[in-house]
Amino acid sequence: MKITFKCPHCNGSQFRTSHFDVTRANPHGAKCIFCKSVVVQVNATRIATQGAIRAL
């Protein structure tokens, strides 16, 4: 299973991980390389469903 991350602020998908950034709210320690905000994990099935709905 592939984990996908997305930045909620700039909508970027490029990130870096660091063990210094691991917190309860950010268990993977992933931060956006553009705006340095914490990225969120995206569910791949939710993306596919949303894409199908927008196509209609």
Side-chain angles (χ1 to χ4, degrees):
M1 175 184 243
K2 182 180 177 184
I3 298 175
T4 306
F5 293 102
K6 200 75 149 164
C7 178
H9 297 284
C10 69
N11 209 23
S13 60
Q14 294 183 6
F15 61 92
R16 66 166 180 80
T17 58
S18 172
H19 64 275
F20 295 110
D21 296 324
V22 174
T23 62
R24 185 174 288 177
N26 186 12
H28 298 286
K31 283 195 169 185
C32 177
I33 64 168
F34 302 112
C35 65
K36 308 298 187 254
S37 64
V38 174
V39 294
V40 295
Q41 186 174 350
V42 179
N43 186 353
T45 55
R46 185 181 66 158
I47 292 172
T49 305
Q50 287 177 348
I53 293 170
R54 288 183 187 152
L56 296 175

